[in-house]
């Protein structure tokens, strides 16, 4: 520096944190309802460590009935959008997802609904 022959060594260290999503509540149980009646609940999606904007996509299960018919009784709605946004303080804003179920046929289900970001996490 400035023709000074001294050498300077800089050491950098850091921690890489992978983006992840938590849910509140961590699992969902919808109450039994009569046929063709909708039951619905909201869950909080809590993104962490996202450094750039991403969008959540949802994979809903297809259910096979006893007679072989297939139905999609679940639906989701993000009333305030499904973008993960980095706020000015470096945290990610929570998203609210409304999950509903309606079926014209008797059915019960135990399984997964997948929430996937743009990088397929």
């Amino acid at each position: 520096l400035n023709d000074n022959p001294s050498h300077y060594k800089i050491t950098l260290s850091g921690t890489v944190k992978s983006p992840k999503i938590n849910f509140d509540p961590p699992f969902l149980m919808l109450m039994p309802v009569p046929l063709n009646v909708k039951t619905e609940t909201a869950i909080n999606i809590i993104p962490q460590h996202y450094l750039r904007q991403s969008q959540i996509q949802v994979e809903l299960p297809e259910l096979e009935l006893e007679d072989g018919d297939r139905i999609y009784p679940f639906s989701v709605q993000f009333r305030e959008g499904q973008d993960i946004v980095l706020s000015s303080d470096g945290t990610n804003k929570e998203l609210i997802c409304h999950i509903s179920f309606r079926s014209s046929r008797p059915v019960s289900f135990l399984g997964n609904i997948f929430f996937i970001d743009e990088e397929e996490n």
Side-chain angles (χ1 to χ4, degrees):
L1 301 172
N2 296 334
D3 297 324
N4 187 346
S6 300
H7 296 288
Y8 294 91
K9 180 179 178 181
I10 298 174
T11 303
L12 302 174
S13 64
T15 303
V16 176
K17 295 184 177 183
S18 296
K20 67 179 183 175
I21 299 172
N22 290 319
F23 299 91
D24 182 28
F27 66 93
L28 179 65
M29 184 172 14
L30 296 171
M31 299 308 295
V33 292
L35 296 178
N36 276 328
V37 173
K38 181 166 79 169
T39 181
E40 180 179 28
T41 192
I43 61 169
N44 290 326
I45 299 174
I46 308 162
Q48 295 178 320
H49 312 302
Y50 280 83
L51 300 177
R52 59 182 172 267
Q53 184 171 322
S54 188
Q55 189 175 74
I56 297 293
Q57 301 297 320
V58 183
E59 289 183 5
L60 297 171
E62 174 187 60
L63 305 184
E64 184 173 351
L65 303 176
E66 291 179 3
D67 64 1
D69 284 351
R70 296 183 176 277
I71 61 171
Y72 290 91
F74 293 96
S75 63
V76 297
Q77 187 177 38
F78 293 85
R79 295 181 183 150
E80 298 175 18
Q82 54 201 87
D83 290 333
I84 296 173
V85 179
L86 184 65
S87 62
S88 60
D89 65 357
T91 61
N92 299 119
K93 181 181 174 188
E94 292 184 11
L95 304 172
I96 299 173
C97 178
H98 295 267
I99 300 175
S100 62
F101 173 91
R102 181 191 310 239
S103 177
S104 61
R105 308 268 300 273
V107 65
S108 63
F109 171 75
L110 175 63
N112 297 309
I113 296 175
F114 292 99
F115 294 81
I116 304 164
D117 66 18
E118 289 179 351
E119 295 180 11
E120 298 187 6
N121 294 312

